[in-house]
């Protein structure tokens, strides 16, 4: 049984829409500062490493204040594209969110920087946690006495990746109709982003979560490692992942697009409306440095992909080109 059991230790849980202001010295502040500000929208799964990276960046750049705002990656993008929110740096759990919702109107380039994988996360209080394994997890989740949570596919990549994982599981285990049965169950526990589900797990409201492995590791949670055929992490299985799909909201109200399965790849950009583009480039350069931000990302459980091919390489600022390479 490929289960990684870690002690349940929930520190600060980042709630939807949470805003953290980090200033010189790394302390949290609740009011605006006259210092130079950097506004960073990021995926909920990046909350832990981005808080550490921001503190490191501030230490090297006294007088800078970093405002971190976590949400589902698609929600982050729509704050920029639909609501006109000012943003200096946008980091997405799926690089295609930037491609599909921001480029070309609201951003001009995209750098891929990390990977991840789907896992089934639980606590020592979860029903049937002592028997769950890589061969029976879907039967455990379908137990009427068991409850599980997932995030909203229209708001959060983890949400549509959960759906894709279910569809891949149906193929991998040869269980006809499995994805449909899982999708019909426990819809009352769908939340805007994956980290919103942690409190429900802590309180015993739910027993399991479709969640990124990195988030489980960061919060000291127990998790089940899924087969590569299901977990959306192995580039060698790109064709297999692409055999499943889910329909999600498009750019325009009422529009739908088809999202096909693919290995997980995170992306980062500087939106066109950044009020501090020079400082933003400095932050992204720091974040993508293998001895600085990327080291934090890797320590938080996400393998680096820097440098990776970028279809927007020509538009990447000169100072950041070293973190990418032209797409073939």
């Amino acid at each position: 049984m490929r289960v990684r059991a870690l002690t349940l230790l929930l520190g600060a849980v980042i709630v939807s829409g949470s805003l953290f202001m980090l200033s010189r010295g790394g302390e949290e502040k609740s009011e605006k500062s006259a210092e130079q500000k950097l506004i960073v929208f990021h995926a909920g799964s990046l909350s832990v490493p981005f808080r550490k990276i921001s503190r490191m960046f501030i230490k090297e750049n006294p007088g800078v204040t970093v405002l971190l705002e976590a949400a589902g990656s698609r929600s982050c993008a729509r704050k920029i594209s639909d609501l006109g929110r000012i943003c200096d740096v946008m980091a997405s759990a799926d690089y295609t969110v930037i491609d599909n919702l921001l480029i070309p109107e609201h951003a001009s380039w995209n750098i891929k920087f990390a990977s991840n994988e789907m896992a089934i996360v639980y606590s020592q209080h979860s029903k049937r946690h002592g028997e769950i394994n890589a061969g029976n997890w879907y039967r455990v989740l379908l137990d009427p006495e068991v409850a599980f949570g997932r995030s909203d596919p229209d708001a959060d990549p983890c949400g549509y990746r959960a759906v894709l994982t279910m569809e891949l599981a149906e193929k991998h285990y040869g269980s006809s109709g499995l994805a449909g049965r899982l999708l019909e169950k426990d819809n009352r526990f769908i939340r805007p982003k994956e980290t919103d589900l942690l409190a429900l797990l802590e309180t015993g409201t739910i027993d399991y979560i479709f969640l990124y492995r990195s988030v489980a590791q960061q919060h000291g949670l127990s998790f089940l490692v899924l087969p590569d055929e299901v977990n959306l992490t192995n580039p060698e299985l790109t064709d297999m992942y692409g055999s499943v799909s889910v329909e999600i909201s498009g750019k325009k109200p009422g529009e739908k697009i088809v999202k096909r399965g693919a290995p997980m790849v995170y992306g980062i950009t500087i939106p066109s409306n950044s009020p501090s583009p020079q400082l933003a480039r400095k932050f992204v350069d720091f974040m993508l440095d293998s001895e600085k931000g990327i080291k934090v990302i890797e320590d938080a459980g996400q393998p680096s992909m820097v440098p990776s091919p970028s279809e927007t390489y020509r538009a990447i600022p000169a100072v950041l080109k070293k973190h990418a390479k032209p797409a073939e």
Side-chain angles (χ1 to χ4, degrees), residues 38-90:
L38 190 72
I39 303 167
V40 179
F41 291 174
H42 63 84
S45 58
L46 291 169
S47 295
V48 171
F50 264 45
R51 291 183 74 180
K52 184 173 182 179
I53 291 168
S54 295
R55 290 189 175 101
M56 292 167 58
F57 181 74
I58 289 163
K59 189 174 181 180
E60 284 196 11
N61 298 273
V64 172
T65 297
V66 180
L67 291 88
L68 299 175
E69 189 166 339
S73 297
R74 288 172 60 81
S75 294
C76 285
R78 292 194 182 283
K79 290 176 186 178
I80 299 165
S81 62
D82 298 356
L83 302 180
R85 291 277 306 278
I86 296 298
C87 175
D88 292 299
V89 176
M90 156 69 178

Side-chain angles (χ1 to χ4, degrees), residues 188-203:
R188 65 190 183 280
F189 298 124
I190 295 176
R191 295 295 184 269
K193 67 178 185 293
E194 76 282 357
T195 48
D196 295 340
L197 297 158
L198 296 177
L200 298 180
L201 184 69
E202 181 187 19
T203 59

Side-chain angles (χ1 to χ4, degrees), residues 93-159:
D94 182 353
Y95 80 96
T96 67
V97 169
I98 296 172
D99 288 349
N100 295 334
L101 298 183
L102 295 182
I103 295 175
E105 293 91 346
H106 306 283
S108 58
W109 55 269
N110 190 358
I111 295 178
K112 304 165 191 172
F113 68 90
S115 62
N116 214 328
E117 67 181 83
M118 291 299 295
I120 304 298
V121 177
Y122 60 95
S123 78
Q124 296 307 307
H125 304 292
S126 299
K127 298 180 184 68
R128 301 184 62 178
H129 75 271
E131 62 184 275
I132 194 169
N133 59 48
N136 71 3
W137 63 269
Y138 57 93
R139 289 193 288 270
V140 171
L141 266 56
L142 287 172
D143 184 335
E145 298 299 316
V146 169
F148 68 87
R150 56 189 174 97
S151 57
D152 181 358
D154 285 331
D156 184 26
C158 194

